[in-house]
C-alpha cells in the first residue's frame, strides 16, 4: 500500500482510470460586507447548518467554508488485500451525497459542497476547489483584493500533496492546485504595474522553517494588535516574474521538505507545507483636484485620481497526514514527528469545533498551525477545503474521522473583507513626476526667454555698431573735404601774395639781376657736378671695401666654429674608443676565466666518470650472481655499492669538485645538450648522493626532479643506470622516499626497467625499489609496481 500511495502522491494515476470533466461549479452570489476580522469574535459568525449530515445552500452565506471530498482509487495492495470487500464509501456526485458504510446493511449519509470521484481529473479538482478563490471572474477572490485559503486534509497516503503540489513536468494534465493557481494569477495580472510575490514555508515539530532558505529555520509569528492580521516578517519573499521561476521555487522548496517512509506511505510528509502568494493590484481611485496655496486653481495643476492598491493573499496549505501509530509503524524520531503532527491537527480540530458551535473561546494559541490559519477559519479569508479519503474498509475509522472534520468545517463562516488602501507612495511619485515635468517646462521656457533676450540684445548692439561706423565714415569724408578746400584756399592766397610782391619790386632792376643770377648759377652748377661725381665714386669704393671686409670676417668666424666642433668631436671619439677598449679587455678576461672553468670542469667530470666506471666494475664483479635472490638481496647490493663509492680517494675528488664548482652548476649540466656532459654530470650527482650529508642538499636544489626528468626523457642506457643508482641512494631517506612516490618515481622506475637492456641497469632499478620497500607506509602503492617490475625483471633475465 505504501508504494501505491506514494505513486498517487507523485501524480502516477493510471491513465485508463482518469477522465476529464470540464463542468464548472456554480459560484455563490456576492454579498457586500466589510466587518473587522477576528477569530474569536462571536458576533462575526452567523448560524451554521443545523445537522452534521446536511450541507446548507450557499445562498446568503458567501463566507462559509466550502468543503469538497476527493476519493483516492484503490492501490495495488488494497486490490489484493480488500478484493473480497466493497469500498467503505460510496460517492453520489449528482446529489452531492456521500455514504459511509457501517456494515453490509447500514450506512451513514453526508452532504458536501462537491464530491470528486477517483476518476476526477486535476483540472476538475482545481476548477471546483481553488478557482473560485483565485480567479478575478469569481466574486470576492484573491485577484479582487480578498484573502483566500485552499487547504487539503486527510489520512496519510490519500493524495493531499498530489492534489496541491504536483508540478506536472512530465504530464501537464497532472499539475496541482499550486501550479494552476499561479498560471491564472499571472494571466490576469500585468507585472508592469502590479506585483506577485511568494513565500514557501513548513511547520515542522512546532517550528516554522523557510523552504526557500533552509538556514532560516526559526521564523516567528507577528500579529497586528489592531487588525489581528498574522504575518511572518522573517520569511523569504521572492517576486515572481514568470511561471517557470515559480515552478523552480516550488521544486527547491519540495526538496527541503521533511519526508519519511512509513507502512502507509513511502514518502509521507512530516511537516505542514504553507505556500503564501501576495498579489498587489493598482485600481483607479476617486478624482482629487490639487489647488495652489492661495486657494486658486493653477492652470499647471491637473486633476489626479488617487491610486488604490488592493492586496490579496492566497494561502495554500498541504497538511501532513494524520496517522495511527499502530498502522504506520512509526518509531524513534519518526514517532516524535507523528506525535507533533497529530497534536497540531488536534488543535486545528478543536478550533474548528469551537467555531462550529459558536463557542465564546477559540483556542487558537494552542498551536502555531492554528495561529497561522487564524484568518482562514473565522477570519476574513475565503476558504476552500478539500478532504482526501481512501476506499479501503480497513481504514474506515480514519475515513470517518476525516469526513466528520469536513462536516464541522462546513459550519465555519468567515466575514470576507476587501483589502485595499490608498497608494500614497504611488500618488507621491506621480506628483513628483508632474512637479519635475513642470519644473523642466519652466526651465525650458526660462531658457528660451533668456535666449530671446540675448538675441535681441545682440541685434541691437550690431545695429548700434553699424550706425557708429557709418557716422564715423561720413564724418571722415566731411573732414577730408573741408581740409582739402582749406588747403586750396591757402594756396590761392599765397599765389595772390606772390603776385602782389612781384608787382611792388620795380621794373628796371629786373633784367640785370636776371643775367647775374643766371651766370652764377651756371658756374656753381659746373663745379658742384664735378665734386658730386667724385664724392659718389669714393662712396662706391668705400661701400665695396666694407662689403668685402664683412664677407672675410664671416668666413673666418665660420672656420673658427668648424674647428671648435671638430676638436670637440675628436675628444668624444677618443673617450668612446677608450671605453670600448676597456669593455673589450673585460670581455676577453671574462672569456678566459670561463674557458678555464669549463676546461677544469670537463677534466674533473672525466676524472669522476673514470672513477665511477671503475667503481661500477668492482660492483659488477662482486654482486652479479646475486640478482635473482629477490628484492632483499638487491637492497644489500645497493648499500654495498654506496659503501664502495665512499672510499677515501673518491670522496676527496668529489668533495673538491663540489666545493669548486657548486651543486647548482652540476645540476644545470643535467640539462646540457651534449650527451657526454649529461652522462658525466649524472655520475657526479650519483656519487654525491651516496653521502647522507649531500642528499638533503641535492633534493632541495631540485636534483631529484632533474633525475626523474632524465629517466622520463632520455633513451641512453648509461643515463638509465647511473640515474637509477642516484635515486637508489636518495631513497635511503624516508623523507625522500615520500617525495619519490609523490612525483611518480616508482612508476618511472618500472617503465625504465621495461626499456632497459643492461643487467646492471636492472640491478640499479631493483636497488631503488628495494630502498622504497623499506618504508612500510608506502607498501600499498609500491606493490602494484613491484609486481610489474618483478615480472619484467624475470623476463629480462630469462
Amino acid at each position: 500500500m505504501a508504494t501505491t500511495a506514494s505513486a498517487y502522491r507523485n501524480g502516477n494515476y493510471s491513465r485508463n482510470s482518469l477522465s476529464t470533466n470540464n463542468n464548472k461549479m456554480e459560484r455563490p452570489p456576492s454579498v457586500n460586507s466589510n466587518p473587522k476580522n477576528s477569530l474569536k469574535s462571536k458576533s462575526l459568525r452567523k448560524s451554521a447548518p443545523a445537522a452534521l449530515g446536511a450541507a446548507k445552500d450557499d445562498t446568503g452565506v458567501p463566507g462559509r467554508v466550502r468543503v469538497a471530498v476527493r476519493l483516492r482509487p484503490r492501490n495495488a495492495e488494497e486490490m489484493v488485500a480488500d478484493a473480497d470487500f466493497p469500498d467503505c464509501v460510496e460517492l453520489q456526485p449528482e446529489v452531492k451525497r456521500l455514504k459511509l458504510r457501517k456494515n453490509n446493511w447500514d450506512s451513514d449519509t453526508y452532504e458536501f459542497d462537491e464530491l470528486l470521484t477517483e476518476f476526477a481529473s486535476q483540472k476538475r479538482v482545481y476548477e471546483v476547489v481553488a478557482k473560485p478563490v483565485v480567479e478575478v471572474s469569481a466574486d470576492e477572490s484573491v485577484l479582487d483584493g480578498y484573502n483566500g485559503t485552499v487547504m487539503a486534509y486527510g489520512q496519510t497516503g490519500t493524495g493531499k500533496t498530489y492534489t496541491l503540489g504536483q508540478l506536472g513536468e512530465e504530464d501537464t494534465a497532472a499539475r496541482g492546485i499550486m501550479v494552476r493557481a499561479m498560471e491564472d494569477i499571472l494571466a490576469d495580472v500585468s507585472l508592469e504595474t502590479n506585483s506577485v510575490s511568494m513565500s514557501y514555508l513548513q511547520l515542522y515539530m512546532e517550528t516554522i522553517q523557510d523552504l526557500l532558505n533552509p538556514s532560516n529555520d526559526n521564523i516567528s509569528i507577528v500579529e497586528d494588535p489592531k487588525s489581528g492580521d498574522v504575518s511572518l516578517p522573517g520569511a523569504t519573499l521572492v517576486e515572481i516574474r514568470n511561471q517557470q521561476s515559480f515552478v523552480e521555487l516550488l521544486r527547491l522548496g519540495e526538496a527541503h521538505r521533511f519526508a519519511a517512509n512509513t507502512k502507509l506511505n513511502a514518502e509521507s510528509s512530516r511537516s505542514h507545507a504553507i505556500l503564501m502568494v501576495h498579489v498587489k493590484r493598482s485600481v483607479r481611485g476617486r478624482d482629487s483636484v490639487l489647488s495652489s496655496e492661495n486657494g486658486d486653481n493653477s492652470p499647471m495643476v491637473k486633476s489626479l485620481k488617487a491610486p488604490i492598491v488592493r492586496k490579496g493573499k492566497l494561502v495554500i496549505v498541504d497538511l501532513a497526514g494524520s496517522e495511527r501509530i499502530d498502522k504506520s509503524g512509526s518509531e524513534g524520531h519518526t514517532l516524535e514527528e507523528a506525535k507533533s503532527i497529530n497534536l497540531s491537527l488536534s488543535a486545528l480540530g478543536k478550533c474548528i469545533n469551537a467555531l462550529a458551535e459558536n463557542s465564546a473561546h477559540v483556542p487558537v494559541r494552542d498551536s502555531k498551525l492554528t495561529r497561522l490559519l487564524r484568518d482562514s477559519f473565522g477570519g476574513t479569508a475565503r476558504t476552500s477545503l478539500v478532504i482526501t479519503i481512501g476506499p479501503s474498509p480497513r481504514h474506515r475509522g480514519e475515513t470517518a474521522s476525516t469526513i466528520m472534520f469536513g462536516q464541522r468545517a462546513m459550519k465555519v463562516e468567515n466575514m470576507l473583507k476587501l483589502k485595499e488602501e490608498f497608494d500614497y507612495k504611488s500618488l507621491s511619485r506621480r506628483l513628483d513626476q508632474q512637479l519635475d515635468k513642470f519644473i523642466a517646462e519652466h526651465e525650458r521656457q526660462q531658457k528660451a526667454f533668456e535666449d530671446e533676450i540675448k538675441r535681441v540684445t545682440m541685434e541691437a548692439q550690431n545695429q548700434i555698431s553699424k550706425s557708429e561706423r557709418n557716422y564715423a565714415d561720413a564724418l571722415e569724408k566731411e573732414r577730408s573735404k573741408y581740409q582739402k578746400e582749406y588747403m586750396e584756399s591757402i594756396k590761392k592766397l599765397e599765389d595772390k601774395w606772390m603776385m602782389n610782391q612781384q608787382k611792388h619790386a620795380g621794373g628796371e632792376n629786373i633784367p640785370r639781376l636776371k643775367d647775374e643770377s643766371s651766370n652764377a648759377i651756371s658756374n656753381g652748377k659746373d663745379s658742384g657736378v664735378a665734386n658730386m661725381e667724385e664724392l659718389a665714386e669714393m662712396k662706391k669704393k668705400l661701400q665695396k671695401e666694407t662689403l668685402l671686409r664683412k664677407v672675410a670676417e664671416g668666413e673666418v668666424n665660420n672656420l673658427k666654429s668648424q674647428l671648435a666642433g671638430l676638436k670637440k668631436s675628436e675628444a668624444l671619439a677618443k673617450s668612446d674608443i677608450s671605453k670600448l677598449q676597456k669593455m673589450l679587455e673585460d670581455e676577453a678576461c671574462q672569456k678566459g676565466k670561463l674557458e678555464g672553468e669549463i676546461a677544469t670542469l670537463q677534466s674533473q667530470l672525466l676524472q669522476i666518470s673514470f672513477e665511477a666506471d671503475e667503481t661500477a666494475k668492482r660492483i659488477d664483479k662482486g654482486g652479479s650472481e646475486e640478482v635473482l635472490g629477490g628484492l632483499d638481496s638487491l637492497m644489500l647490493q645497493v648499500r654495498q655499492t654506496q659503501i664502495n663509492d665512499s672510499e677515501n680517494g673518491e670522496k676527496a675528488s668529489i668533495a673538491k669538485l663540489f666545493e669548486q664548482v657548486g651543486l647548482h652548476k652540476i645540476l644545470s649540466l643535467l640539462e646540457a645538450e651534449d650527451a657526454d656532459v649529461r652522462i658525466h654530470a649524472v655520475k657526479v650527482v650519483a656519487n654525491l648522493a651516496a653521502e647522507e650529508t649531500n642528499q638533503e642538499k641535492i633534493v632541495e636544489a631540485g636534483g631529484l626532479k632533474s633525475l626523474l626528468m632524465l629517466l622520463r626523457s632520455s633513451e641512453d642506457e648509461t643515463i638509465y643506470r647511473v640515474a637509477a643508482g642516484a635515486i637508489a641512494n636518495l631513497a635511503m631517506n624516508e623523507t625522500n622516499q615520500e617525495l619519490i612516490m609523490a612525483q611518480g618515481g616508482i612508476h618511472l622506475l618500472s617503465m625504465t626497467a621495461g626499456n632497459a637492456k643492461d643487467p646492471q641497469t636492472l640491478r640499479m632499478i631493483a636497488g631503488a625499489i628495494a630502498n622504497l620497500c623499506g618504508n612500510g607506509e608506502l607498501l600499498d602503492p609500491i606493490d602494484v609496481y613491484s609486481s610489474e617490475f618483478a615480472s619484467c625483471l624475470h623476463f629480462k633475465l630469462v
Side-chain angles (χ1 to χ4, degrees):
M1 177 177 179
T3 304
T4 309
S6 174
Y8 178 77
R9 169 181 175 168
N10 294 320
N12 295 330
Y13 267 134
S14 173
R15 298 292 295 176
N16 296 329
S17 65
L18 291 175
S19 63
T20 303
N21 189 345
N22 294 325
N23 296 329
K24 296 184 178 179
M25 61 174 289
E26 297 180 357
R27 300 187 179 90
S30 62
V31 176
N32 295 325
S33 60
N34 191 17
K36 293 184 178 179
N37 57 333
S38 174
L39 188 60
K40 297 181 180 180
S41 177
K42 181 178 177 181
S43 62
L44 295 182
R45 298 190 297 273
K46 298 181 181 180
S47 60
L52 292 177
K56 186 177 179 181
D57 186 71
D58 291 344
T59 304
V61 192
R64 180 176 64 79
V65 176
R66 294 180 56 82
V67 181
V69 181
R70 187 176 193 185
L71 177 63
R72 172 180 60 77
R74 286 195 177 194
N75 53 39
E77 182 183 354
E78 292 171 347
M79 288 181 181
V80 176
D82 303 331
D84 298 332
F85 302 96
D87 293 346
C88 66
V89 292
E90 178 185 353
L91 270 62
Q92 298 175 347
E94 297 80 5
V95 293
K96 300 181 180 179
R97 184 176 300 164
L98 179 148
K99 289 185 178 182
L100 177 63
R101 288 190 175 88
K102 295 181 178 180
N103 48 49
N104 292 334
W105 304 276
D106 192 12
S107 62
D108 293 331
T109 303
Y110 304 92
E111 292 184 359
F112 289 93
D113 294 303
E114 291 292 341
L115 296 178
L116 301 167
T117 66
E118 64 270 30
F119 305 107
S121 65
Q122 290 281 77
K123 180 179 180 182
R124 171 65 177 165
V125 173
Y126 171 73
E127 291 178 345
V128 168
V129 176
K131 197 167 188 178
V133 180
V134 177
E135 241 189 13
V136 71
S137 59
D139 295 327
E140 299 169 338
S141 64
V142 172
L143 293 175
D144 285 327
Y146 293 85
N147 291 345
T149 301
V150 178
M151 188 170 69
Y153 177 90
Q155 182 190 8
T156 182
T158 54
K160 299 182 296 302
T161 302
Y162 174 78
T163 300
L164 296 181
Q166 185 66 20
L167 300 181
E169 294 177 311
E170 298 180 357
D171 183 8
T172 56
R175 291 168 296 162
I177 288 177
M178 292 181 180
V179 178
R180 294 177 183 270
M182 183 56 69
E183 288 178 353
D184 284 350
I185 290 174
L186 294 177
D188 291 333
V189 171
S190 174
L191 297 179
E192 295 179 357
T193 57
N194 306 319
S195 67
V196 179
S197 56
M198 65 163 281
S199 298
Y200 200 14
L201 313 166
Q202 69 173 351
L203 179 60
Y204 176 72
M205 302 285 285
E206 283 301 302
T207 302
I208 301 176
Q209 302 177 3
D210 197 334
L211 291 175
L212 302 181
N213 183 14
S215 61
N216 191 7
D217 57 358
N218 191 11
I219 301 174
S220 59
I221 301 175
V222 178
E223 297 181 10
D224 190 339
K226 295 183 180 179
S227 63
D229 292 339
V230 176
S231 62
L232 301 170
T236 301
L237 191 64
V238 181
E239 187 172 356
I240 305 300
R241 305 302 300 176
N242 52 63
Q243 183 70 13
Q244 182 63 30
S245 62
F246 174 72
V247 173
E248 292 294 335
L249 291 173
L250 286 184
R251 185 186 298 108
L252 174 63
E254 194 65 24
H256 294 148
R257 190 176 176 188
F258 289 98
N261 185 3
T262 66
K263 293 181 180 179
L264 298 179
N265 192 351
E267 296 183 17
S268 176
S269 299
R270 314 310 290 172
S271 64
H272 307 299
I274 304 165
L275 174 67
M276 294 184 178
V277 180
H278 303 268
V279 181
K280 292 184 181 180
R281 303 188 70 186
S282 299
V283 296
R284 299 182 64 183
R286 63 175 181 269
D287 291 340
S288 175
V289 178
L290 302 178
S291 60
S292 60
E293 294 180 358
N294 57 7
D296 297 331
N297 290 336
S298 173
M300 296 293 291
V301 180
K302 300 180 181 179
S303 63
L304 297 174
K305 287 186 179 295
I308 295 177
V309 174
R310 290 182 176 176
K311 299 180 179 180
K313 180 174 70 174
L314 174 64
V315 180
I316 302 178
V317 184
D318 179 13
L319 295 174
S322 61
E323 60 182 61
R324 291 186 178 179
I325 306 303
D326 55 345
K327 290 186 178 181
S328 64
S330 300
E331 57 184 11
H333 186 67
T334 307
L335 177 60
E336 296 299 323
E337 293 174 339
K339 290 180 181 179
S340 178
I341 292 171
N342 289 337
L343 285 175
S344 61
L345 294 177
S346 176
L348 178 61
K350 290 179 182 178
C351 290
I352 290 178
N353 289 341
L355 290 169
E357 296 171 359
N358 290 328
S359 174
H361 173 67
V362 180
V364 293
R365 295 191 175 275
D366 290 353
S367 172
K368 288 187 177 180
L369 177 63
T370 54
R371 293 179 65 190
L372 288 172
L373 298 178
R374 180 173 183 171
D375 194 45
S376 302
F377 293 96
T380 61
R382 183 169 188 171
T383 303
S384 182
L385 173 66
V386 55
I387 59 175
T388 58
I389 58 176
S392 175
R394 290 179 296 163
H395 304 297
R396 184 189 177 282
E398 290 82 352
T399 302
S401 176
T402 302
I403 292 173
M404 296 305 297
F405 180 89
Q407 285 288 295
R408 287 189 290 269
M410 289 178 64
K411 293 184 178 183
V412 179
E413 297 178 14
N414 299 337
M415 302 300 291
L416 306 185
K417 181 180 178 181
L418 181 63
K419 307 290 184 179
E420 66 177 12
E421 61 185 21
F422 288 109
D423 191 0
Y424 294 107
K425 291 183 179 180
S426 176
L427 178 60
S428 176
R429 286 195 300 270
R430 290 175 59 186
L431 291 175
D432 288 340
Q433 291 174 359
Q434 287 199 5
L435 180 61
D436 293 340
K437 182 179 179 181
F438 292 152
I439 292 174
E441 180 66 19
H442 174 70
E443 291 177 351
R444 188 187 64 79
Q445 294 179 358
Q446 183 70 19
K447 189 175 184 302
F449 177 74
E450 292 176 355
D451 293 341
E452 184 66 17
I453 292 296
K454 289 181 180 179
R455 187 185 64 80
V456 173
T457 302
M458 290 295 295
E459 289 182 356
Q461 290 178 354
N462 293 335
Q463 291 292 338
I464 291 172
S465 299
K466 185 177 181 181
S467 299
E468 289 178 350
R469 288 195 300 270
N470 294 336
Y471 174 75
D473 293 341
L475 186 62
E476 182 66 23
K477 289 180 180 179
E478 290 293 328
R479 188 183 68 80
S480 300
K481 179 179 177 183
Y482 292 140
Q483 187 175 6
K484 185 177 181 181
E485 291 178 353
Y486 171 75
M487 294 301 293
E488 289 178 352
S489 299
I490 293 298
K491 187 176 182 180
K492 288 180 180 179
L493 289 174
E494 289 178 351
D495 292 340
K496 289 180 180 180
W497 184 78
M498 290 295 296
M499 290 177 65
N500 292 329
Q501 286 290 86
Q502 290 177 1
K503 287 180 180 180
H504 288 292
E508 295 180 355
N509 296 327
I510 291 174
R512 184 177 59 82
L513 291 173
K514 286 182 178 180
D515 294 336
E516 292 179 355
S517 298
S518 60
N519 293 330
I521 289 171
S522 61
N523 294 331
K525 283 184 179 180
D526 293 337
S527 60
V529 168
N531 291 332
M532 289 297 293
E533 290 179 355
E534 185 178 356
L535 181 61
E537 186 69 23
M538 292 297 292
K539 284 183 178 180
K540 288 180 181 180
K541 291 181 179 179
L542 181 61
Q543 289 177 354
K544 186 176 180 180
E545 291 294 333
T546 302
L547 181 61
L548 292 174
R549 182 180 177 182
K550 288 182 178 180
V551 172
E553 289 178 354
E555 290 180 354
V556 170
N557 292 332
N558 189 15
L559 291 174
K560 287 181 179 180
S561 63
Q562 290 181 1
L563 180 60
L566 291 175
K567 288 182 178 180
K568 188 176 181 180
S569 299
E570 182 180 2
L572 293 174
K574 288 181 179 179
S575 176
D576 292 341
I577 290 171
S578 62
K579 290 181 180 179
L580 291 174
Q581 288 177 350
K582 187 175 180 180
M583 290 174 63
L584 288 174
E585 290 175 357
D586 293 340
E587 291 293 333
C589 182
Q590 187 69 20
K591 181 179 179 182
K593 290 181 180 180
L594 291 175
E595 289 177 352
E597 290 179 1
I598 292 171
T600 303
L601 183 61
Q602 288 179 349
S603 63
Q604 291 175 352
L605 286 176
L606 291 175
Q607 181 181 356
I608 297 302
S609 175
F610 176 75
E611 294 173 355
D613 291 339
E614 291 297 326
T615 303
K617 290 179 181 180
R618 290 198 300 272
I619 293 172
D620 293 339
K621 292 177 181 181
S624 60
E625 290 83 2
E626 299 178 2
V627 176
L628 296 178
L631 294 177
D632 295 336
S633 62
L634 291 175
M635 182 74 178
L636 295 175
Q637 291 177 14
V638 173
R639 290 178 179 173
Q640 183 64 33
T641 303
Q642 294 170 353
I643 294 171
N644 294 336
D645 287 342
S646 60
E647 294 179 356
N648 296 330
E650 296 172 0
K651 286 184 179 179
S653 60
I654 294 173
K656 184 178 180 181
L657 177 63
F658 181 71
E659 292 176 357
Q660 293 179 354
V661 179
L663 180 58
H664 287 283
K665 288 187 177 181
I666 295 174
L667 293 178
S668 64
L669 293 176
L670 294 176
E671 300 177 359
E673 297 181 357
D674 191 349
D676 293 335
V677 175
R678 290 200 303 269
I679 292 172
H680 293 317
V682 75
K683 288 180 179 181
V684 172
V685 173
N687 284 279
L688 289 173
E691 297 184 13
E692 293 183 0
T693 57
N694 296 333
Q695 291 177 359
E696 183 177 357
K697 297 179 180 179
I698 292 173
V699 174
E700 290 179 354
L704 176 59
K705 184 176 180 181
S706 300
L707 291 172
L708 294 176
M709 287 295 296
L710 278 178
L711 288 180
R712 184 180 291 108
S713 61
S714 179
E715 297 180 356
D716 187 89
E717 189 73 24
T718 304
I719 290 178
Y720 284 163
R721 182 178 68 257
V722 181
I727 294 173
N729 292 335
L730 294 176
M732 296 176 67
N733 187 304
E734 291 185 359
T735 303
N736 295 341
Q737 291 172 2
E738 295 178 358
L739 291 175
I740 292 171
M741 292 297 298
Q743 297 183 16
I746 186 68
H747 176 66
L748 286 175
L749 289 171
S750 300
M751 294 297 295
T752 305
N755 298 330
K757 299 178 181 179
D758 188 2
Q760 180 64 20
T761 303
L762 294 175
R763 284 196 294 272
M764 291 297 180
I765 295 172
I769 296 176
N771 288 343
L772 292 175
C773 291
N775 190 343
E777 298 179 356
L778 304 177
L779 287 178
D780 291 337
I782 290 175
D783 287 342
V784 178
Y785 298 104
S786 295
S787 59
E788 177 183 350
F789 170 72
S791 61
C792 180
L793 181 61
H794 177 71
F795 174 77
K796 294 285 184 179
L797 293 176
V798 171

